[in-house]
Amino acid sequence: MKATSPNEAVIFFAGDSGDGIQLTGGQFSETVEIFGNDISTFPDFPAEIRAPKGTLFGVSGFQLKLGSVKIFTPGDQYDVLIAMNAAALKTNLHQLKKGGVIIANTAGFDKKNLTLAKYEVGINPLEDHSLDDYDVHDFDVTKMTQEALADSGMERKEIERCKNMFVLGFVYWMFNQDLKYTIKFLTEKFNNKPDLAVANIKVLKAGFNFADTSETFTSRFSIKPAKLPKGDYRNVNGNQAVALALVAAAKKSGLDLFYGSYPITPASNILHQLSRYKNFGVKTYQAEDEIAAICSAIGASFAGQLGTTASSGPGIALKGEAMGLAMILEIPLVIVNVQRGGPSTGLPTKTEQADLLQALYGRNGEAPIPVLAAATPKDCFEMAFMACKIAIEHMTPVLLLTDGYIANGSEPWKYPQSKDLPKIKPQLVKDKPADEKFLPYERDKNLVRKWAIPGVAGFEHRIGGLEKEINTGNVSYDPDNHEQMIKIRADKVDKVADVFPKQEYAQGSEKSKLLVIGWGSTFGAIESAIINLKTERFDIAHVHIKLIHPLPANLGEILRHFEKIIVPEMNNGQLVKVLRSKFLLPIKSVTKIKGVPFTVLEIKEAILNELSHG
C-alpha cells in the first residue's frame, strides 16, 4: 500500500437531504483543518425544503478542497465523488476528473432509484461500463451499516440514519485522517442519548476498518499540512463570521447589540448564531415579518443600541422603505443581505450577486447609503465589523452584501484578539452648555450629526420620516431646504471613502497587461486563475472592491492605467454598469447566472479571450 502526496484534492459528498451529507462534509472539514490543511468548502442544498427522495433536484451536496498550499476555492473538478444514490451520481459525474474516484452506495442504485434519477430502463451505470474511465468502488453501505448495528436493538430507520458515518470512516482512511475528533463530536452531540453516540461511533469505525481490510485501494491520499501563519485558528463560515463581528463591534463600541430578523434562506443562520450570545448582552428578536424586523432594529438604534438586521433579496425588497427611514433619521443601522438566486423567490438555496443595483438604488427618493461587500467567509468578519464602525461613527444605515456561497462556505480563520480590533466611537451627545439649545442635525467636519438618546433632559428633538429642517430637525417643506438636505446626506455618505482603506492590488500592478475587477465571492476564483496564469508567464492584475458605495477614492486612478479591463459577476453585468457610468471606460462584462460560483477555468478562459482580442 502506498500513499500519494498531492498538494491538494477536491472531494464531493452527495446524496439525499436525509443522508446527513452536510454533517458528513462538515465533520471531514473540521478534521482536516485541525490536522493543518488549508480548506475551502461549498455546501449545496436542494431548493425544495423536503425534496422527494432519489430525485435529481433533491440531491444535497458538500464540496471540499483541502491542500498543503493556499486554497482559494472549493475547486473546479472533483478528485473523489461519494454518491449515496443514482441521482447523486448523475447530477455530479460531469465534474469528476477522468480517472477520479467514485465511491457508490449500491443500495441507492436499485430499480426505484434508477427510475427516479431518469436512467433508461435496464441501465445501471455501475454495471454498464459507462464508468470505465473512473476508479469505481461500489459496495452496499446501507447493508454494512445494518450489519454493524445488528445487535444494537435500534429500529431499521434509526440504523440507516447512521450510514453517513460509515462513508465518513471510509473517507478518513482514504485520506490518512484520525477518527478521534469525530468521535469526540458524536459523544458531545448525543450526550443525552448515549446509545446513538455508541451506534454512530461503531459505524464510523466499521467504515474505517472496511477500507483498511478490504484492499479496496492500491494507494491513499496523504496531503501534508499547509504552512499557514502562526496563530489561533477556527473553521468559520460567512454567516458565523458576520454574527461574531456584530458581537465584537457592539463590545468595542460599548453598545448593546439588537438583532431583529425574520427567517429567510440563506440568512437565517445569523439569527441562530446570535441567539447563543445572550451572555454578551445580545438581544435577538424573531419578528412576524421583514418590515417588523427592520423597524424593531431602527427602534433599538433610536434608543441607543446597535440595531442590526439581515435578510436575502426578497426580504431586502420589503425592508426598502424602512432603510429610507433610517437614512433620513441618520441613525446607525446595519443591514446584511445574504444574496441568493432571484428574482422573486427564485433559487432560494443557490448563490447569486444580483442584488447590487438593489442595494445601491432600491429605495424611494434620493436615499444613498454606504454599501460594502465581503469577499470570503472569513472576510465577512472584517466587513461586518467595518459596516458597524461606519454606521456608528457616520450615523447612517450601512448595507453589507454577502451571498449564499460565502455564507455557507467555510475556511480556516486566524481570529483576532479583541485588543487588535479598531476602536469604535459612538457619536453620543453628553454634556451641553446650559445656555445653548440642542440642534440634533448640526454636523461636524464629516457632516455627521450627534446621537441623542431619548429621555435625556435637554436633548429633546423631533424624529420621523418627513424632511428635516437644517440643524433643528423640525419638519420642513421648504424646497430649497429639501434640496440642500438631499445634497448634505449624499455628501456625508461620499465622505466614507475618505476613511475607508485605499484600493490595493490583490495581484499584479499598473504595469500588468489586463485588469480583472471583482467584488464579493468571485475573489477566490479570480485569485486562483491569475496565480495559475502567472505560472504560464501572464502578468494579470486583480483589484477586489469591498466598498461599493461610495467607490474607493483612488479607484479611478487605478483603472486609467489599463486598456483592457474585465469584470466577472454572478449577475447580468451590474457592477459594470456602475463603473462605466462613473469612469466612462470600455469595461468588458463577464457574467454567470446559474446559481453556482465561477470556476477557475471560466475566469482563466475569459482573461485569455480578452487578451487575444487586439
Side-chain angles (χ1 to χ4, degrees):
M1 180 69 61
K2 67 176 183 178
T4 60
S5 301
N7 289 329
E8 57 190 34
V10 180
I11 311 168
F12 194 85
F13 299 88
D16 277 323
S17 293
D19 286 339
I21 296 301
Q22 304 304 323
L23 176 64
T24 306
Q27 277 301 295
F28 189 81
S29 301
E30 293 279 357
T31 297
V32 297
E33 185 184 13
I34 293 171
F35 174 72
N37 294 131
D38 196 8
I39 65 168
S40 179
T41 72
F42 179 42
D44 189 16
F45 307 95
E48 299 274 346
I49 294 175
R50 292 193 178 275
K53 286 187 176 183
T55 58
L56 296 173
F57 58 87
V59 174
S60 178
F62 189 100
Q63 185 172 338
L64 164 74
K65 186 175 184 179
L66 67 156
S68 59
V69 295
K70 180 64 179 173
I71 302 296
F72 292 100
T73 75
D76 285 6
Q77 290 186 298
Y78 319 141
D79 296 284
V80 180
L81 171 60
I82 293 95
M84 298 297 285
N85 60 20
L89 177 69
K90 189 169 189 178
T91 55
N92 295 289
L93 183 61
H94 67 286
Q95 286 188 256
L96 181 66
K97 294 176 181 176
K98 293 298 182 184
V101 176
I102 296 174
I103 299 171
N105 176 20
T106 56
F109 287 78
D110 58 14
K111 184 178 179 181
K112 179 182 178 182
N113 275 283
L114 290 167
T115 301
L116 288 169
K118 301 190 182 303
Y119 281 102
E120 293 182 19
V121 177
I123 297 296
N124 185 336
L126 300 180
E127 300 172 353
D128 67 356
H129 299 285
S130 62
L131 303 178
D132 285 352
D133 289 336
Y134 305 98
D135 184 9
V136 181
H137 304 273
D138 55 332
F139 43 88
D140 195 332
V141 175
T142 304
K143 181 180 179 181
M144 285 189 278
T145 301
Q146 292 168 347
E147 290 173 350
L149 299 178
D151 59 354
S152 66
M154 295 170 61
E155 294 182 2
R156 182 186 181 92
K157 186 176 289 186
E158 287 181 313
I159 290 174
E160 290 191 5
R161 287 188 185 132
C162 298
K163 65 180 181 287
N164 61 322
M165 288 297 108
F166 190 96
V167 170
L168 183 58
F170 192 97
V171 176
Y172 277 152
W173 184 89
M174 286 176 61
F175 283 85
N176 281 293
Q177 293 294 330
D178 202 313
L179 302 181
K180 64 183 180 183
Y181 304 111
T182 295
I183 291 173
K184 181 174 183 281
F185 166 80
L186 293 168
T187 303
E188 294 173 353
K189 178 179 175 65
F190 297 113
N191 181 49
N192 297 324
K193 297 179 179 179
D195 290 347
L196 284 178
V198 169
N200 279 279
I201 292 168
K202 188 173 184 179
V203 175
L204 178 75
K205 291 179 177 179
F208 187 91
N209 293 333
F210 172 73
D212 188 26
T213 59
S214 64
E215 298 184 358
T216 301
F217 293 98
T218 56
S219 63
R220 301 167 72 184
F221 294 90
S222 183
I223 299 176
K224 296 177 182 179
K227 294 180 180 179
L228 299 172
K230 289 184 178 180
D232 294 322
Y233 286 82
R234 60 160 289 180
N235 189 38
V236 70
N237 66 37
N239 279 343
Q240 291 169 337
V242 167
L244 290 168
L246 297 182
V247 177
K251 286 298 175 185
K252 293 298 286 189
S253 64
L255 303 173
D256 289 334
L257 176 66
F258 178 90
Y259 182 80
S261 175
Y262 180 77
I264 183 171
T265 301
S268 300
N269 199 42
I270 299 175
L271 173 62
H272 303 160
Q273 293 292 322
L274 286 173
S275 66
R276 302 173 183 176
Y277 297 117
K278 293 178 182 177
N279 57 313
F280 288 114
V282 176
K283 302 179 184 70
T284 54
Y285 170 56
Q286 182 173 319
E288 65 270 27
D289 56 44
E290 295 282 6
I291 299 171
I294 189 172
C295 287
S296 67
I298 290 172
S301 286
F302 176 59
Q305 300 180 50
L306 173 54
T308 62
T309 187
S311 189
S312 190
I316 296 296
L318 291 168
K319 294 179 189 289
E321 182 184 0
M323 277 192 268
L325 173 61
M327 183 267 179
I328 199 170
L329 295 179
E330 297 185 60
I331 59 174
L333 178 69
V334 174
I335 310 108
V336 182
N337 180 359
V338 187
Q339 299 167 95
R340 70 188 206 186
S344 188
T345 45
L347 304 174
T349 61
K350 308 304 177 184
T351 196
E352 206 164 85
Q353 290 181 294
D355 295 350
L356 181 77
L357 295 181
Q358 179 192 38
L360 295 175
Y361 309 117
R363 293 165 294 282
N364 63 296
E366 296 288 345
I369 64 175
V371 178
L372 278 60
T376 66
K378 63 187 178 186
D379 188 51
C380 287
F381 179 89
E382 183 178 342
M383 286 300 100
F385 189 92
M386 180 63 78
C388 294
K389 182 175 173 66
I390 292 171
I392 292 168
E393 295 185 346
H394 292 262
M395 293 294 285
T396 178
V398 177
L399 206 157
L400 171 64
L401 298 173
T402 71
D403 60 44
Y405 176 28
I406 57 177
N408 294 318
S410 63
E411 62 182 340
W413 174 45
K414 183 183 176 183
Y415 53 87
Q417 299 295 312
S418 177
K419 62 182 176 61
D420 297 326
L421 295 173
K423 293 181 179 179
I424 300 178
K425 300 177 182 178
Q427 303 295 316
L428 293 167
V429 290
K430 296 178 181 178
D431 301 322
K432 72 177 185 67
D435 58 345
E436 284 188 16
K437 182 180 179 181
F438 173 58
L439 298 174
Y441 286 86
E442 191 174 39
R443 302 170 187 278
D444 64 15
K445 63 179 182 180
N446 289 320
L447 303 180
V448 179
R449 79 176 187 93
K450 290 295 182 181
W451 191 4
I453 306 303
V456 181
F459 295 111
E460 297 87 351
H461 61 283
R462 285 180 176 271
I463 203 79
L466 294 173
E467 184 59 278
K468 283 123 186 47
E469 184 179 65
I470 291 173
N471 292 335
T472 70
N474 295 332
V475 174
S476 173
Y477 297 107
D478 178 78
D480 291 334
N481 177 86
H482 175 59
E483 180 168 333
Q484 193 171 352
M485 286 295 284
I486 290 289
K487 300 288 188 183
I488 288 171
R489 289 189 291 257
D491 289 345
K492 182 185 77 167
V493 171
D494 287 343
K495 285 180 176 292
V496 169
D498 298 334
V499 301
F500 201 87
K502 292 284 185 71
Q503 184 65 53
E504 296 181 348
Y505 290 95
Q507 291 285 336
S509 69
E510 62 186 44
K511 297 179 181 179
S512 300
K513 296 292 185 183
L514 176 145
L515 173 65
V516 183
I517 301 176
W519 73 276
S521 63
T522 57
F523 177 83
I526 296 171
E527 279 287 281
S528 297
I530 291 175
I531 291 171
N532 188 302
L533 284 166
K534 190 180 291 184
T535 65
E536 301 175 25
R537 301 185 181 279
F538 287 96
D539 183 10
I540 308 299
H542 172 204
V543 299
H544 214 76
I545 303 174
K546 297 183 180 181
L547 181 62
I548 307 295
H549 184 76
L551 289 166
N554 63 326
L555 183 61
E557 179 185 343
I558 290 174
L559 266 56
R560 290 186 175 92
H561 288 295
F562 298 90
E563 292 183 7
K564 293 180 179 292
I565 304 172
I566 66 171
V567 181
E569 301 180 77
M570 290 186 290
N571 57 44
N572 210 25
Q574 297 191 13
L575 181 62
V576 163
K577 290 182 175 68
V578 175
L579 296 178
R580 286 172 179 165
S581 65
K582 174 76 173 177
F583 300 109
L584 303 178
L585 293 171
I587 302 171
K588 177 74 176 293
S589 179
V590 178
T591 66
K592 182 176 184 178
I593 325 167
K594 298 184 178 182
V596 294
F598 277 103
T599 65
V600 176
L601 181 60
E602 287 168 339
I603 301 293
K604 183 178 177 180
E605 288 178 344
I607 292 171
L608 293 175
N609 182 60
E610 186 64 16
L611 287 174
S612 68
H613 287 80

